[in-house]
Amino acid sequence: GVPKRGTKGVEMKHPVTQRLYDYWDALRDGRPAPDRSEIEPGSIRSILGDTFILELIDAQTYRYRLAGTRLCSLHCRELKNRNILRGWSEEDHEALATLLAAITEDAAAAVVGLSGFTERGQSVDMEMILLPLHIPGEGCNRVLGACVALEQPYWAGMHPILSQTVKSVRLIWPDERPAFLSSSMVRRTSTVPSIRHEAGFVPASVAGSGRQVQHLMVIDGGKS
């Protein structure tokens, strides 16, 4: 069966992303998302260097409000105030923008497998987690995240990551019927039509429209 949110069935590849998910999941306590004000940096001190918070500015701009020191070191630059949607191919940019819309509008959580590349062609595989944060009166316009290298490359901190590609996506929904795939929202998913359930099911409203983006996979979550 499909793992439900709030259970240990949601597995990450890296302990940092797993730790942040477990912290966020406990904090929200059955709600779609916890409030931004509930995040206590001291509670996740050991992973703060890999974590970040994004602010939704518009559909194409999700700006780093905070970015951990290890994450900035991996990119060889200060990430604060930069748009996380910079530095991707057109296809991946569209997929990530759609993904971030699902997080901020529908309170989905996401685990993204990605590869980063330097100008020398060196690559590093990373795992990123994106989790909605609620602000009273404004909705889920903040995203709590972490991004960590699965294996630390010897060149980390010396050669900046200039481009990134998405390898896999897992979405974990706050309820059993994701609004993201409802017929009223097909327009938003038309650029990522191969979003499918773990069992390979593609909703008829999404299948066959737009361009294929084969590396996307959705794992639906259940109600907590």
Side-chain angles (χ1 to χ4, degrees):
V2 175
K4 293 184 180 298
R5 288 182 73 164
T7 73
K8 293 300 180 182
V10 182
E11 295 296 336
M12 319 300 158
K13 289 183 178 179
H14 199 282
V16 165
T17 46
Q18 185 72 56
R19 170 86 190 279
L20 190 62
Y21 177 86
D22 290 344
Y23 172 72
W24 170 87
D25 193 44
L27 207 57
R28 70 189 180 123
D29 192 27
R31 296 169 295 169
D35 283 350
R36 164 68 182 92
S37 60
E38 295 176 271
I39 301 296
E40 292 284 351
S43 299
I44 50 173
R45 185 175 288 112
S46 64
I47 62 170
L48 275 181
D50 305 298
T51 62
F52 57 85
I53 289 180
L54 304 175
E55 179 183 12
L56 165 63
I57 305 299
D58 57 47
Q60 297 299 319
T61 312
Y62 292 80
R63 193 165 60 198
Y64 286 100
R65 284 181 66 91
L66 299 168
T69 52
R70 281 191 294 271
L71 185 58
C72 292
S73 176
L74 188 60
H75 286 264
C76 294
R77 66 173 71 92
E78 173 58 63
L79 295 175
K80 188 177 179 180
N81 294 325
R82 288 175 65 90
N83 181 7
I84 196 173
L85 290 174
R86 286 179 57 182
W88 304 86
S89 69
E90 182 181 356
E91 184 181 87
D92 283 349
H93 179 106
E94 288 181 15
L96 277 170
T98 305
L99 187 68
L100 284 161
I103 293 163
T104 53
E105 294 177 24
D106 304 326
V111 183
V112 183
L114 54 109
S115 293
F117 300 91
T118 70
E119 59 185 357
R120 299 183 175 202
Q122 298 154 315
S123 67
V124 57
D125 289 337
M126 297 178 281
E127 183 170 69
M128 179 165 63
I129 189 163
L130 299 165
L131 305 161
L133 291 179
H134 180 262
I135 292 189
E138 298 181 30
C140 291
N141 64 359
R142 298 287 192 278
V143 177
L144 173 66
C147 186
V148 63
L150 295 179
E151 291 186 11
Q152 196 71 5
Y154 72 89
W155 47 262
M158 294 187 291
H159 304 296
I161 292 171
L162 298 183
S163 64
Q164 299 177 106
T165 60
V166 175
K167 295 174 65 182
S168 64
V169 170
R170 294 167 58 211
L171 275 178
I172 308 153
W173 297 102
D175 55 47
E176 293 168 0
R177 299 195 58 165
F180 186 56
L181 293 180
S182 70
S183 58
S184 65
M185 303 176 83
V186 170
R187 190 174 299 107
R188 205 170 77 201
T189 65
S190 62
T191 56
V192 281
S194 65
I195 284 179
R196 55 188 169 82
H197 292 213
E198 192 173 23
F201 167 72
V202 181
S205 59
V206 177
S209 61
R211 185 175 68 248
Q212 292 297 306
V213 184
Q214 296 295 346
H215 54 249
L216 291 184
M217 180 176 74
V218 168
I219 298 178
D220 283 351
K223 289 183 178 175
S224 301

